[in-house]
Amino acid sequence: MTRALAIGCGGTLGFAWTAVALRALETELDWDARTADILIGTSAGAEIVAALGSGHRPQDLLDALDGHPDADALLARHVATHPGHLPPLPLPLLPATGLIRAGLQQRSAYTALAGLLPRGRGDATWLREYGDALATDHGWTTHTATWIVAADAATGARVAFGAPGAPEANLGEAIAASWAIPGWFPPVTIGDRRYVDGGAVSSVSADLLLEAGVDEVIIVAPMTSEGGAPARGVARVERVLRRQMTRGLDAEVDRLRAAGVRVRRIEPGPAELEAMGANFMDLRRRGETLGVARRGLDTSLDRRGGGLDTPPRSSAALDHRDGEEGE
């Protein structure tokens, strides 16, 4: 069976939550996430698949996040660098108007609104340096099927750098492009095109795997919550975006299952969302996010034949339906 691992956007806190989720997933499936046939990531997910594709384990990410003295120096340096929990004052320019058209065509309000955001002035140097340090002499990961998703600023079309037929890019610029949040970071020029955060169009882009011929897709998505998630106060603002992204992922999962692909979904539950709060870039919440995720993503679930056959005793939903009637 061929398996793809798709990791969605989620900012600083989504990165931390995902590291815990991946380690729990490895335990439940008795599986090494680095061995997925395809690794596809968007924004924070791009950072993680780049690490996995370069041979680092989820536990290595956790050691760096925890400040373990024996943590990998590159990962420790990367997670210690942060662009701030709010963006710098942007420039009065609209660099990604193609997202407006794409959003209207896809009936995605958040994609259309992303096209109306001004040009960000954030500095993505730390992302470029991270990717460049991970890359081989050929400019990419050792895992040749590592895909990093960004969106064309002029058209809204998604591009999975590293996938067959995608434009040439080096790892550092691909990660920076995938992370180029409209309004926060400027678009990244690769070749003769400019790219922004792939999460502005799709939180996971799992449907890009439809033509890949894989049997199973494992989705780890910090920015979606199947079935909805309750909220109070300012968190309700975050839920508006989350509902939009969840509807998009639901449609992608439906397409995969209709094509006969088995899908597993791992998403944060209410406790994790409360720990993360409304701003997924708030570094001050990272320690609490890691702690709550570790308690919520219980690693003592039953393993039966290498799969998850019982619902999780946690606030995160692990969905292992394969799309066939009666399964």
Side-chain angles (χ1 to χ4, degrees), residues 237-256:
V237 177
E238 187 269 351
R239 296 300 189 273
V240 174
L241 176 60
R242 180 172 294 274
R243 283 194 296 272
Q244 288 269 321
M245 289 187 165
T246 299
R247 282 198 289 270
L249 180 58
D250 288 345
E252 293 176 7
V253 168
D254 287 345
R255 292 178 65 193
L256 287 165

Side-chain angles (χ1 to χ4, degrees), residues 39-54:
L39 298 164
I40 178 171
T42 301
S43 199
E47 292 176 90
I48 292 177
V49 299
L52 297 176
S54 300

Side-chain angles (χ1 to χ4, degrees), residues 52-201:
L52 297 176
S54 300
H56 295 286
R57 306 166 300 159
Q59 185 60 52
D60 297 330
L61 296 172
L62 289 173
D63 287 346
L65 289 164
D66 290 335
H68 194 283
D70 294 327
D72 178 87
L74 167 59
L75 297 181
R77 184 169 63 252
H78 179 63
V79 301
T81 307
H82 190 259
H85 67 279
L86 292 174
L89 186 68
L91 295 172
L93 301 169
L94 299 180
T97 54
L99 298 182
I100 301 173
R101 187 184 316 110
L104 294 174
Q105 291 173 344
Q106 299 168 17
R107 298 183 179 180
S108 171
Y110 84 85
T111 297
L113 289 173
L116 292 171
L117 292 175
R119 181 184 177 88
R121 296 176 57 246
D123 184 356
T125 300
W126 103 102
L127 292 167
R128 294 176 183 272
E129 291 177 345
Y130 168 70
D132 291 344
L134 287 174
T136 67
D137 292 340
H138 299 290
W140 205 249
T141 61
T142 53
H143 190 309
T144 55
T146 301
W147 299 2
I148 292 178
V149 182
D152 189 306
T155 65
R158 290 169 294 160
V159 174
F161 293 107
E168 291 291 326
N170 65 49
L171 190 59
E173 64 188 6
I175 296 172
S178 186
W179 239 98
I181 304 168
W184 197 310
F185 295 96
V188 173
T189 300
I190 299 176
D192 60 354
R193 310 295 295 181
R194 294 182 306 150
Y195 297 92
V196 296
D197 187 346
V201 177

Side-chain angles (χ1 to χ4, degrees), residues 1 3 25 29 215-219 226 253 257 261-267 301-302 304 306-312 316-324 326-327:
M1 182 177 70
R3 173 183 282 165
L25 180 68
L29 299 184
D215 301 305
E216 181 180 55
V217 177
I218 295 177
I219 295 171
E226 187 177 23
V253 168
R257 287 177 173 156
V261 180
R262 180 180 172 96
V263 177
R264 303 172 186 262
R265 289 174 69 160
I266 306 175
E267 297 158 294
L301 308 181
D302 292 335
R304 300 177 184 176
L308 292 173
D309 298 310
T310 57
L318 285 78
D319 183 354
H320 63 280
R321 294 171 293 172
D322 64 7
E324 295 182 8
E327 290 292 318

